[in-house]
Amino acid sequence: MDKKIVFFDIDGTLLDHDKKLPESTKQAVNQLKEKGYEVAIATGRAPFMFKELRDELGIDTYISFNGQYIVLNGEVLYQNPLDVQELQALTAFAAQKNHPVVYLDHDDMRSNIEFHEHIEASISTLKLGITHPIHDPLYYENREIYQALLFCTGGEEKPYEEKFKKFDYIRWHEFSTDVLPAGGSKAKGIEVMINKLGYKKENVYAFGDGLNDIEMLSYVGNGVAMGNAHDEVKEVANYITKDVADNGIAHGLQLVGLLS
């Protein structure tokens, strides 16, 4: 049997709408592992944001920051940080527009201002136990930053897209947009990993629901959109499963034939 690997997004995919792990999902992941399939996570989150989930599921292979920081069996495989000078320039430009910025490395995150309601509103939805990062405007100096969060409302990121072309921008909240290295994506991360491991693309599966999952589901041989996914995500998927809260992962794995 050709070896197979399954990548799971986290929010809205592994975790339900209340950021909880459904028991059916946990059981399905364990069954995959028992059958000998490789199981990995592919998320926009930083590693420190889902350590408890990795521990609970026994997963030590993951793609984080939408492809910018990749770990294989607990060892760092690939790193692609933001350009520091471009990030510094973006921060200065954002300050003129009163748009806060949060910087993330693999260990932590810091804010360039002491407090902003948009930061609190966005971060609190992740249910990390914190609602606002600590203030450290120079956190990006002397460390590798893999992702920044730009806090602005829909459409306000357009000037940044035109001015700072070394970055890509993906909105994840009405008040916040991910800032990533240009060309970086979960799909690129998966490409790096499957090339290292020797998987054929037709034996690669991915589950997702968000806009940052579009390239991933388009790239793999078997893309599965959650029932709660954005319409744009469903359009590129090979399969559409049930809502995450309706045993969506277990149903999807049965749909693609990995579980009975």
Side-chain angles (χ1 to χ4, degrees), residues 164-222:
F164 303 103
K165 296 187 180 296
K166 289 185 179 180
F167 300 148
D168 284 340
Y169 306 82
I170 302 176
R171 182 161 294 279
W172 65 278
H173 187 277
E174 63 174 315
F175 296 142
S176 186
T177 294
D178 289 335
V179 181
L180 301 164
S185 68
K186 292 183 183 182
K188 289 290 186 182
I190 289 176
E191 182 180 25
V192 170
M193 188 173 289
I194 66 174
N195 285 343
K196 174 71 174 180
L197 296 174
Y199 284 96
K200 299 176 182 177
K201 194 182 290 188
E202 59 264 31
N203 291 326
V204 180
Y205 299 74
F207 287 68
D209 73 302
L211 299 178
N212 62 338
D213 295 319
I214 290 175
E215 288 179 289
M216 173 175 76
L217 298 192
S218 301
Y219 175 76
V220 301
N222 305 275

Side-chain angles (χ1 to χ4, degrees), residues 98-112:
N98 295 316
H99 291 159
V101 179
V102 167
Y103 313 106
L104 299 95
D105 64 3
H106 64 288
D107 284 327
D108 211 342
M109 61 179 169
R110 293 289 188 268
S111 170
N112 75 328

